[in-house]
Coordinates of all heavy atoms in Angstrom, one line a residue:
M669 N 0.8 -1.2 0.0 CA 0.0 -0.1 0.0 C 0.8 1.3 0.0 O 1.9 1.2 0.7 CB -0.9 0.1 1.3 CG -1.7 1.2 1.3 SD -2.8 1.1 2.8 CE -4.0 -0.1 2.5
C670 N 0.5 2.2 -0.8 CA 1.2 3.4 -0.8 C 1.2 4.1 0.4 O 0.1 4.4 1.0 CB 0.7 4.3 -2.0 SG 1.5 5.9 -2.0
P671 N 2.3 4.4 1.1 CA 2.3 5.1 2.4 C 1.9 6.7 2.3 O 1.4 7.3 3.3 CB 3.9 5.2 2.8 CG 4.6 4.9 1.7 CD 3.6 4.3 0.7
E672 N 1.8 7.1 1.1 CA 1.5 8.5 0.9 C -0.1 8.7 0.8 O -0.8 9.5 1.4 CB 2.1 9.2 -0.3 CG 3.6 9.2 -0.3 CD 4.1 9.9 1.0 OE1 3.6 11.0 1.3 OE2 5.1 9.5 1.5
C673 N -0.7 7.9 -0.1 CA -2.1 8.0 -0.5 C -2.9 6.8 -0.3 O -4.2 6.7 -0.5 CB -2.3 8.5 -2.0 SG -1.9 7.1 -3.2
H674 N -2.3 5.8 0.3 CA -3.0 4.5 0.7 C -3.6 3.7 -0.5 O -4.4 2.9 -0.4 CB -4.0 4.6 1.7 CG -3.5 5.2 3.0 ND1 -4.1 5.7 4.1 CD2 -2.2 5.4 3.4 CE1 -3.4 6.1 5.0 NE2 -2.1 5.9 4.7
S675 N -3.1 4.0 -1.7 CA -3.6 3.4 -2.9 C -3.1 1.9 -2.9 O -1.9 1.7 -2.5 CB -3.0 4.0 -4.3 OG -3.3 3.2 -5.3
V676 N -3.9 1.0 -3.4 CA -3.4 -0.5 -3.5 C -3.1 -0.7 -5.0 O -2.9 -2.0 -5.3 CB -4.3 -1.5 -2.9 CG1 -4.4 -1.3 -1.4 CG2 -5.8 -1.4 -3.6
E677 N -3.1 0.3 -5.9 CA -2.8 -0.1 -7.3 C -1.3 -0.5 -7.4 O -0.4 0.0 -6.5 CB -3.0 1.1 -8.1 CG -4.4 1.5 -8.5 CD -4.6 2.6 -9.4 OE1 -3.7 2.7 -10.3 OE2 -5.6 3.3 -9.1
H678 N -0.9 -1.3 -8.2 CA 0.5 -1.8 -8.2 C 0.9 -2.2 -9.6 O 0.1 -2.4 -10.6 CB 0.7 -3.1 -7.3 CG -0.3 -4.2 -7.8 ND1 -1.6 -4.2 -7.4 CD2 0.1 -5.3 -8.4 CE1 -2.0 -5.5 -7.8 NE2 -1.0 -6.0 -8.5
E679 N 2.2 -2.4 -9.8 CA 2.8 -2.9 -11.1 C 3.9 -3.9 -10.8 O 4.5 -3.9 -9.6 CB 3.3 -1.7 -12.0 CG 4.4 -0.9 -11.3 CD 4.9 0.2 -12.2 OE1 5.2 0.1 -13.4 OE2 4.8 1.3 -11.6
V680 N 4.3 -4.8 -11.7 CA 5.4 -5.8 -11.6 C 6.7 -5.1 -12.1 O 6.7 -4.7 -13.2 CB 5.0 -7.1 -12.2 CG1 6.3 -8.0 -12.1 CG2 3.8 -7.7 -11.6
V681 N 7.7 -5.1 -11.3 CA 9.1 -4.6 -11.7 C 10.0 -5.6 -11.2 O 9.9 -6.2 -10.1 CB 9.3 -3.2 -11.2 CG1 8.5 -2.2 -11.8 CG2 9.4 -3.1 -9.6
E682 N 11.2 -5.6 -11.9 CA 12.3 -6.6 -11.5 C 13.1 -5.7 -10.4 O 13.4 -4.5 -10.6 CB 13.2 -7.1 -12.6 CG 12.4 -8.2 -13.3 CD 13.5 -8.8 -14.3 OE1 14.6 -8.9 -14.0 OE2 13.0 -9.3 -15.3
L683 N 13.6 -6.5 -9.3 CA 14.3 -5.8 -8.3 C 15.7 -6.6 -8.1 O 15.7 -7.7 -8.4 CB 13.6 -5.8 -6.9 CG 12.3 -5.1 -7.0 CD1 11.4 -5.4 -5.8 CD2 12.4 -3.6 -7.2
A684 N 16.7 -5.9 -7.6 CA 18.1 -6.6 -7.5 C 18.0 -7.6 -6.4 O 18.7 -8.4 -6.3 CB 19.0 -5.5 -7.2
G685 N 17.1 -7.4 -5.2 CA 17.0 -8.4 -4.2 C 18.1 -8.0 -3.2 O 18.3 -8.9 -2.3
T686 N 18.5 -6.8 -3.3 CA 19.5 -6.4 -2.2 C 19.0 -5.2 -1.4 O 18.3 -4.4 -2.0 CB 20.9 -6.1 -2.8 OG1 20.7 -5.1 -3.8 CG2 21.6 -7.3 -3.4
G687 N 19.4 -5.0 -0.1 CA 19.0 -3.9 0.6 C 19.7 -3.9 1.9 O 20.7 -4.6 2.2
T688 N 19.1 -3.2 2.9 CA 19.7 -3.1 4.3 C 18.6 -3.4 5.2 O 17.4 -3.1 5.0 CB 20.4 -1.8 4.5 OG1 19.4 -0.8 4.3 CG2 21.5 -1.6 3.5
V689 N 19.0 -3.8 6.5 CA 18.1 -4.0 7.6 C 17.6 -2.7 8.1 O 18.4 -1.9 8.6 CB 18.6 -4.8 8.6 CG1 17.8 -5.0 9.9 CG2 19.0 -6.2 8.1
Y690 N 16.3 -2.4 7.9 CA 15.8 -1.2 8.6 C 15.5 -1.4 10.1 O 15.7 -0.5 10.9 CB 14.5 -0.8 7.9 CG 13.8 0.4 8.5 CD1 14.2 1.7 8.3 CD2 12.6 0.2 9.3 CE1 13.5 2.8 8.9 CE2 12.1 1.2 9.9 CZ 12.6 2.6 9.7 OH 11.9 3.5 10.4
S691 N 14.9 -2.5 10.4 CA 14.6 -3.0 11.9 C 14.2 -4.4 11.9 O 14.2 -5.1 10.9 CB 13.4 -2.1 12.4 OG 13.2 -2.3 13.7
Y692 N 14.1 -5.0 13.1 CA 13.9 -6.4 13.3 C 13.3 -6.7 14.6 O 13.4 -5.9 15.5 CB 15.3 -7.2 13.1 CG 16.3 -7.0 14.1 CD1 16.4 -7.8 15.1 CD2 17.2 -5.8 14.0 CE1 17.3 -7.6 16.2 CE2 18.1 -5.6 15.0 CZ 18.2 -6.5 16.1 OH 19.1 -6.3 17.1
A693 N 12.8 -7.9 14.8 CA 12.3 -8.3 16.0 C 12.7 -9.8 16.1 O 12.7 -10.5 15.1 CB 10.9 -8.2 16.2
I694 N 13.1 -10.3 17.3 CA 13.4 -11.7 17.4 C 12.2 -12.4 18.1 O 11.7 -12.0 19.1 CB 14.6 -11.9 18.5 CG1 15.8 -11.1 18.0 CG2 14.9 -13.4 18.6 CD1 16.3 -11.4 16.7
L695 N 11.6 -13.3 17.3 CA 10.3 -13.9 17.7 C 10.6 -15.2 18.5 O 11.1 -16.1 18.0 CB 9.3 -14.1 16.6 CG 9.2 -12.9 15.6 CD1 8.3 -13.2 14.4 CD2 8.7 -11.6 16.4
H696 N 9.9 -15.3 19.6 CA 10.0 -16.6 20.4 C 8.6 -17.2 20.5 O 8.4 -18.4 20.6 CB 10.6 -16.3 21.8 CG 12.0 -15.8 21.7 ND1 13.1 -16.7 21.6 CD2 12.5 -14.6 21.8 CE1 14.2 -16.0 21.7 NE2 13.8 -14.6 21.6
H697 N 7.5 -16.3 20.5 CA 6.2 -16.8 20.7 C 5.2 -15.9 19.9 O 5.6 -14.7 19.8 CB 5.8 -16.8 22.3 CG 6.6 -17.6 23.1 ND1 6.5 -18.9 23.2 CD2 7.7 -17.1 23.9 CE1 7.3 -19.3 24.1 NE2 8.1 -18.3 24.6
P698 N 4.1 -16.4 19.5 CA 3.6 -17.7 19.7 C 4.3 -18.6 18.6 O 4.6 -18.2 17.5 CB 2.1 -17.7 19.4 CG 2.1 -16.5 18.4 CD 3.1 -15.5 18.9
Q699 N 4.6 -20.0 18.9 CA 5.2 -20.7 17.9 C 4.4 -21.6 17.1 O 3.2 -21.9 17.4 CB 6.2 -21.8 18.8 CG 7.3 -20.9 19.6 CD 8.4 -21.8 19.9 OE1 8.4 -23.1 19.8 NE2 9.4 -21.2 20.4
H700 N 4.7 -21.7 15.8 CA 4.1 -22.5 14.9 C 5.0 -23.6 14.3 O 6.2 -23.4 14.1 CB 3.6 -21.6 13.6 CG 2.7 -22.2 12.6 ND1 3.3 -23.1 11.7 CD2 1.4 -22.4 12.5 CE1 2.3 -23.6 10.9 NE2 1.2 -23.1 11.3
P701 N 4.5 -24.9 14.1 CA 5.5 -26.0 13.7 C 6.2 -25.7 12.4 O 7.1 -26.4 12.2 CB 4.5 -27.1 13.7 CG 3.0 -26.6 13.9 CD 3.0 -25.1 14.3
A702 N 5.7 -24.7 11.5 CA 6.3 -24.6 10.3 C 7.7 -23.9 10.4 O 8.4 -23.8 9.5 CB 5.3 -23.9 9.4
F703 N 7.9 -23.3 11.5 CA 9.2 -22.5 11.8 C 10.1 -23.0 12.8 O 9.6 -23.7 13.8 CB 8.7 -20.9 12.2 CG 7.9 -20.3 11.1 CD1 6.6 -20.2 11.2 CD2 8.6 -19.6 10.1 CE1 5.8 -19.6 10.2 CE2 7.8 -18.9 9.2 CZ 6.6 -19.0 9.1
S704 N 11.3 -22.7 12.6 CA 12.3 -23.0 13.7 C 12.6 -21.7 14.5 O 12.8 -20.6 13.9 CB 13.6 -23.4 13.1 OG 13.6 -24.4 12.3
Y705 N 12.6 -21.8 15.9 CA 12.7 -20.6 16.7 C 14.0 -20.5 17.3 O 14.6 -21.4 17.6 CB 11.5 -20.6 17.8 CG 10.1 -20.3 17.0 CD1 9.5 -21.4 16.4 CD2 9.7 -19.0 17.0 CE1 8.3 -21.1 15.9 CE2 8.5 -18.8 16.3 CZ 7.7 -19.9 15.7 OH 6.6 -19.7 15.1
P706 N 14.4 -19.2 17.6 CA 13.7 -17.9 17.3 C 13.8 -17.6 15.8 O 14.6 -17.9 15.1 CB 14.5 -16.9 18.2 CG 15.9 -17.5 18.2 CD 15.8 -19.0 18.3
V707 N 12.7 -16.9 15.5 CA 12.5 -16.4 14.0 C 13.0 -14.9 14.1 O 12.7 -14.1 15.0 CB 11.2 -16.4 13.6 CG1 10.9 -15.7 12.3 CG2 10.7 -17.9 13.3
V708 N 13.9 -14.5 13.2 CA 14.2 -13.1 13.0 C 13.3 -12.5 12.0 O 13.6 -12.7 10.7 CB 15.7 -12.9 12.7 CG1 16.0 -11.4 12.6 CG2 16.6 -13.5 13.6
A709 N 12.3 -11.7 12.4 CA 11.5 -11.0 11.5 C 12.0 -9.6 11.3 O 12.6 -9.0 12.1 CB 10.1 -10.7 12.2
V710 N 12.1 -9.3 9.9 CA 13.0 -8.1 9.6 C 12.2 -7.2 8.6 O 11.3 -7.7 7.9 CB 14.2 -8.6 9.0 CG1 14.0 -9.4 7.6 CG2 15.3 -7.6 8.8
L711 N 12.4 -6.0 8.7 CA 12.0 -5.0 7.8 C 13.2 -4.6 6.9 O 14.3 -4.2 7.5 CB 11.5 -3.7 8.4 CG 10.1 -3.7 9.1 CD1 9.9 -2.6 9.8 CD2 9.0 -3.9 8.0
V712 N 13.1 -4.9 5.6 CA 14.3 -4.6 4.6 C 14.0 -3.5 3.8 O 12.9 -3.5 3.2 CB 14.7 -5.9 3.8 CG1 15.7 -5.6 2.9 CG2 15.1 -7.0 4.7
D713 N 14.9 -2.5 3.7 CA 14.8 -1.3 2.8 C 15.6 -1.9 1.5 O 16.8 -1.9 1.6 CB 15.5 -0.1 3.3 CG 14.5 0.7 4.3 OD1 13.3 0.3 4.3 OD2 15.1 1.5 5.0
L714 N 14.9 -2.2 0.5 CA 15.5 -2.7 -0.8 C 16.2 -1.4 -1.4 O 15.8 -0.3 -1.1 CB 14.5 -3.2 -1.7 CG 13.7 -4.5 -1.2 CD1 12.7 -4.9 -2.2 CD2 14.6 -5.6 -1.0
D715 N 17.3 -1.8 -2.2 CA 18.0 -0.6 -2.9 C 17.1 0.2 -3.6 O 17.5 1.4 -3.9 CB 19.2 -1.2 -3.7 CG 20.2 -1.9 -2.8 OD1 20.2 -1.6 -1.5 OD2 20.9 -2.8 -3.3
E716 N 16.0 -0.3 -4.2 CA 15.1 0.5 -5.0 C 14.2 1.4 -4.2 O 13.5 2.1 -4.9 CB 14.3 -0.4 -5.9 CG 15.2 -1.1 -7.0 CD 15.8 -2.5 -6.5 OE1 15.6 -2.7 -5.2 OE2 16.4 -3.1 -7.2
G717 N 14.2 1.4 -2.9 CA 13.5 2.3 -2.0 C 12.2 1.7 -1.5 O 11.4 2.4 -1.0
I718 N 12.0 0.3 -1.6 CA 10.8 -0.2 -1.2 C 11.2 -1.0 0.2 O 12.2 -1.6 0.2 CB 10.2 -1.4 -2.1 CG1 10.0 -0.6 -3.6 CG2 9.1 -2.2 -1.6 CD1 9.9 -1.7 -4.7
R719 N 10.3 -0.9 1.2 CA 10.4 -1.6 2.4 C 9.5 -2.8 2.4 O 8.3 -2.7 2.3 CB 10.0 -0.6 3.6 CG 10.3 -1.2 4.9 CD 10.2 -0.2 6.1 NE 11.3 0.9 5.8 CZ 11.2 2.0 6.3 NH1 10.2 2.4 7.0 NH2 12.2 2.8 6.1
V720 N 10.1 -4.0 2.7 CA 9.4 -5.2 2.8 C 9.5 -5.9 4.1 O 10.7 -5.7 4.8 CB 9.8 -6.2 1.7 CG1 9.5 -5.6 0.2 CG2 11.2 -6.4 1.8
V721 N 8.6 -6.7 4.5 CA 8.6 -7.5 5.8 C 9.0 -8.9 5.3 O 8.5 -9.5 4.3 CB 7.3 -7.6 6.4 CG1 7.3 -8.6 7.7 CG2 6.7 -6.3 6.8
S722 N 9.9 -9.5 6.1 CA 10.4 -10.9 5.6 C 11.1 -11.4 6.8 O 10.9 -11.0 8.1 CB 11.4 -10.8 4.5 OG 11.7 -12.2 3.9
N723 N 11.8 -12.7 6.6 CA 12.6 -13.2 7.7 C 14.0 -13.0 7.2 O 14.4 -13.2 6.1 CB 12.2 -14.7 7.8 CG 10.8 -15.0 8.6 OD1 10.2 -14.0 9.0 ND2 10.3 -16.2 8.4
L724 N 14.8 -13.1 8.3 CA 16.4 -13.0 8.0 C 16.8 -14.5 8.5 O 16.6 -14.9 9.7 CB 16.9 -12.0 8.9 CG 18.5 -11.8 8.6 CD1 18.7 -11.2 7.2 CD2 19.0 -10.6 9.5
V725 N 17.5 -15.0 7.6 CA 18.1 -16.4 7.9 C 19.6 -16.3 7.8 O 20.2 -15.4 7.3 CB 17.5 -17.4 7.0 CG1 16.0 -17.5 7.1 CG2 17.8 -17.2 5.5
G726 N 20.3 -17.5 8.2 CA 21.7 -17.5 8.1 C 22.5 -16.6 9.1 O 23.6 -16.3 8.8
V727 N 21.8 -16.2 10.1 CA 22.5 -15.4 11.1 C 22.0 -15.7 12.6 O 20.8 -15.9 12.6 CB 22.3 -13.9 10.7 CG1 20.8 -13.4 10.8 CG2 23.2 -12.9 11.6
E728 N 22.8 -15.6 13.5 CA 22.4 -15.8 14.9 C 21.7 -14.6 15.4 O 22.3 -13.4 15.1 CB 23.7 -16.1 15.8 CG 24.3 -17.5 15.4 CD 23.3 -18.7 15.6 OE1 22.5 -18.7 16.5 OE2 23.2 -19.6 14.7
P729 N 20.6 -14.6 16.0 CA 19.9 -13.3 16.4 C 20.7 -12.4 17.1 O 20.6 -11.1 16.8 CB 18.8 -13.9 17.4 CG 18.5 -15.3 16.9 CD 19.9 -15.8 16.4
P730 N 21.8 -12.6 17.9 CA 22.6 -11.6 18.5 C 23.4 -10.9 17.6 O 24.0 -9.8 17.9 CB 23.4 -12.3 19.6 CG 22.7 -13.6 19.8 CD 22.1 -13.9 18.5
E731 N 23.5 -11.5 16.4 CA 24.5 -10.7 15.4 C 23.7 -9.8 14.4 O 24.3 -9.2 13.7 CB 25.2 -11.8 14.5 CG 26.1 -12.8 15.4 CD 26.7 -13.9 14.6 OE1 26.3 -14.1 13.4 OE2 27.3 -14.8 15.2
V732 N 22.4 -9.8 14.4 CA 21.6 -8.9 13.6 C 21.8 -7.6 13.9 O 21.9 -7.1 15.2 CB 20.0 -9.3 13.7 CG1 19.2 -8.3 12.8 CG2 19.8 -10.7 13.5
R733 N 22.1 -6.6 12.9 CA 22.3 -5.3 13.0 C 21.5 -4.4 12.2 O 21.4 -4.8 11.0 CB 23.8 -4.8 12.8 CG 24.8 -5.6 13.9 CD 24.7 -5.0 15.2 NE 25.7 -5.6 16.1 CZ 25.4 -6.6 16.9 NH1 24.2 -7.1 16.9 NH2 26.2 -7.1 17.6
I734 N 20.9 -3.3 12.7 CA 20.2 -2.4 11.8 C 21.2 -1.7 10.8 O 22.4 -1.5 11.3 CB 19.4 -1.3 12.6 CG1 18.3 -2.0 13.4 CG2 19.1 -0.2 11.8 CD1 17.7 -1.1 14.4
G735 N 20.9 -1.6 9.5 CA 21.8 -1.1 8.5 C 22.7 -2.2 7.9 O 23.4 -1.9 7.0
A736 N 22.5 -3.5 8.4 CA 23.4 -4.6 7.7 C 23.0 -4.8 6.3 O 21.7 -4.8 6.1 CB 23.3 -5.7 8.6
P737 N 23.9 -5.0 5.3 CA 23.5 -5.4 4.0 C 22.9 -6.7 4.1 O 23.4 -7.6 4.6 CB 24.8 -5.3 3.2 CG 25.8 -5.4 4.2 CD 25.4 -4.9 5.6
V738 N 21.8 -7.0 3.2 CA 21.2 -8.3 3.0 C 20.9 -8.5 1.5 O 20.8 -7.5 0.8 CB 20.0 -8.4 3.9 CG1 20.3 -8.4 5.4 CG2 18.9 -7.3 3.6
R739 N 20.7 -9.8 1.2 CA 20.3 -10.1 -0.1 C 19.2 -11.2 0.0 O 19.3 -12.0 1.0 CB 21.3 -10.6 -1.0 CG 21.9 -11.9 -0.5 CD 23.1 -12.4 -1.6 NE 23.9 -13.3 -0.8 CZ 25.2 -12.9 -0.4 NH1 25.7 -11.8 -0.7 NH2 25.8 -13.8 0.3
V740 N 18.4 -11.3 -1.1 CA 17.1 -12.1 -1.0 C 17.7 -13.5 -1.4 O 18.6 -13.7 -2.1 CB 16.1 -11.6 -1.9 CG1 16.4 -11.9 -3.5 CG2 14.8 -12.3 -1.6
M741 N 16.9 -14.5 -0.8 CA 17.1 -15.8 -1.3 C 15.8 -16.5 -1.2 O 14.8 -15.9 -0.7 CB 18.1 -16.6 -0.4 CG 17.6 -16.8 1.1 SD 18.9 -17.8 2.0 CE 18.5 -19.4 1.5
F742 N 15.5 -17.6 -1.9 CA 14.1 -18.1 -2.0 C 14.1 -19.5 -1.2 O 14.9 -20.3 -1.4 CB 13.7 -18.3 -3.3 CG 13.5 -16.9 -3.9 CD1 14.5 -16.2 -4.7 CD2 12.4 -16.2 -3.8 CE1 14.4 -15.0 -5.1 CE2 12.2 -14.9 -4.2 CZ 13.2 -14.3 -5.0
Q743 N 13.2 -19.6 -0.2 CA 13.1 -20.9 0.7 C 11.9 -21.6 0.4 O 10.7 -20.9 0.2 CB 13.2 -20.3 2.1 CG 13.7 -21.3 3.0 CD 14.0 -20.7 4.5 OE1 13.1 -20.0 5.1 NE2 15.2 -20.7 4.8
A744 N 12.0 -22.9 0.1 CA 10.9 -23.8 0.0 C 10.1 -23.9 1.2 O 10.5 -23.8 2.4 CB 11.2 -25.1 -0.4
T745 N 8.8 -23.9 1.1 CA 7.8 -24.1 2.3 C 7.3 -25.6 2.4 O 7.5 -26.3 1.3 CB 6.6 -23.1 2.3 OG1 5.7 -23.5 1.1 CG2 7.0 -21.7 2.2
A746 N 6.8 -26.0 3.4 CA 6.3 -27.4 3.5 C 5.3 -27.7 2.6 O 5.1 -28.9 2.2 CB 5.7 -27.6 5.1
D747 N 4.5 -26.7 2.1 CA 3.3 -27.1 1.1 C 3.8 -26.8 -0.3 O 3.0 -26.7 -1.2 CB 2.1 -26.3 1.5 CG 2.4 -24.8 1.6 OD1 3.6 -24.3 1.3 OD2 1.4 -24.0 1.9
G748 N 5.1 -26.9 -0.6 CA 5.5 -26.8 -2.0 C 5.6 -25.4 -2.6 O 5.9 -25.3 -3.8
L749 N 5.4 -24.4 -1.8 CA 5.6 -23.0 -2.3 C 6.9 -22.5 -1.9 O 7.8 -23.2 -1.4 CB 4.4 -22.1 -1.6 CG 3.0 -22.5 -1.9 CD1 2.1 -21.6 -1.1 CD2 2.8 -22.4 -3.4
T750 N 7.2 -21.4 -2.5 CA 8.6 -20.7 -2.2 C 8.3 -19.3 -1.8 O 7.5 -18.6 -2.3 CB 9.4 -20.7 -3.5 OG1 9.5 -22.0 -4.0 CG2 10.8 -20.1 -3.3
V751 N 9.1 -18.9 -0.8 CA 8.9 -17.5 -0.2 C 10.3 -16.8 -0.2 O 11.3 -17.5 0.1 CB 8.3 -17.5 1.3 CG1 6.9 -18.0 1.2 CG2 9.2 -18.4 2.2
P752 N 10.2 -15.5 -0.4 CA 11.5 -14.7 -0.3 C 11.8 -14.5 1.1 O 11.0 -14.2 2.0 CB 11.1 -13.4 -1.0 CG 9.7 -13.3 -0.9 CD 9.1 -14.7 -0.8
V753 N 13.1 -14.8 1.5 CA 13.7 -14.5 2.7 C 15.0 -13.8 2.5 O 15.5 -13.7 1.3 CB 13.9 -15.6 3.7 CG1 12.6 -16.4 4.0 CG2 14.9 -16.8 3.0
F754 N 15.7 -13.2 3.5 CA 16.9 -12.5 3.4 C 18.0 -13.2 4.2 O 17.8 -13.7 5.2 CB 16.7 -11.0 3.7 CG 16.0 -10.2 2.7 CD1 14.6 -10.4 2.8 CD2 16.6 -9.6 1.7 CE1 13.8 -9.7 1.8 CE2 15.7 -8.9 0.7 CZ 14.4 -9.0 0.7
E755 N 19.2 -13.0 3.7 CA 20.4 -13.5 4.4 C 21.5 -12.3 4.3 O 21.4 -11.5 3.5 CB 21.1 -14.8 3.7 CG 21.4 -14.5 2.2 CD 22.0 -15.8 1.5 OE1 22.1 -16.7 2.1 OE2 22.3 -15.6 0.2
P756 N 22.4 -12.5 5.3 CA 23.3 -11.4 5.3 C 24.2 -11.4 4.0 O 24.4 -12.4 3.3 CB 24.3 -11.9 6.5 CG 23.5 -12.7 7.3 CD 22.6 -13.4 6.4
A757 N 24.6 -10.1 3.5 CA 25.2 -10.0 2.3 C 26.6 -9.4 2.6 O 27.3 -9.0 1.6 CB 24.5 -9.0 1.4
G758 N 27.0 -9.4 3.7 CA 28.3 -8.8 4.1 C 28.6 -9.0 5.6 O 27.9 -9.7 6.2
P759 N 29.6 -8.4 6.1 CA 30.0 -8.6 7.6 C 28.9 -7.9 8.4 O 28.3 -6.9 8.0 CB 31.2 -7.8 7.7 CG 31.7 -7.3 6.4 CD 30.6 -7.6 5.4
T760 N 28.5 -8.6 9.5 CA 27.4 -8.1 10.4 C 27.9 -7.3 11.5 O 29.1 -7.5 11.8 CB 26.5 -9.2 10.8 OG1 27.2 -10.1 11.4 CG2 25.7 -9.8 9.6
Ligands
LIG713 ZN1 0.4 7.1 -3.6

């Protein structure tokens, strides 16, 4: 949704899949069997200026840093779908 006018109109564009951690939260509860805990829920500012909600993987929760560079990867889900998550793209 557009943060300025709340429009839900959209278009498809290709993105580099790189960005930086804007903020994050370490989730311990409530737990769902589809996830390994703790889950690092992250807000990523993509290089193109879009902010997305995702999970950060491949990093221990104490090592997560605001401003850290990340890149997208695609993770299979239990029901055969694929979702975008992020992994560190440099020193944390
Ligand atoms: Zn707008």
Side-chain angles (χ1 to χ4, degrees):
M669 178 181 290
C670 176
E672 303 298 325
C673 69
H674 299 172
S675 169
V676 293
E677 289 188 34
H678 61 278
E679 61 183 306
V680 176
V681 297
E682 284 195 28
L683 304 170
T686 51
T688 57
V689 173
Y690 174 78
S691 189
Y692 67 95
I694 311 297
L695 308 181
H696 298 274
H697 300 282
Q699 295 198 352
H700 185 279
F703 295 95
S704 307
Y705 289 83
V707 168
V708 181
V710 69
L711 285 172
V712 173
D713 279 347
L714 297 175
D715 291 343
E716 293 85 356
I718 301 164
R719 184 170 294 158
V720 296
V721 179
S722 187
N723 289 351
L724 186 62
V725 300
V727 61
E728 293 299 318
E731 298 172 359
V732 181
R733 296 288 181 268
I734 290 171
V738 293
R739 68 174 155 254
V740 74
M741 61 178 288
F742 294 91
Q743 207 168 58
T745 64
D747 54 2
L749 300 175
T750 304
V751 295
V753 297
F754 287 81
E755 63 181 357
T760 54

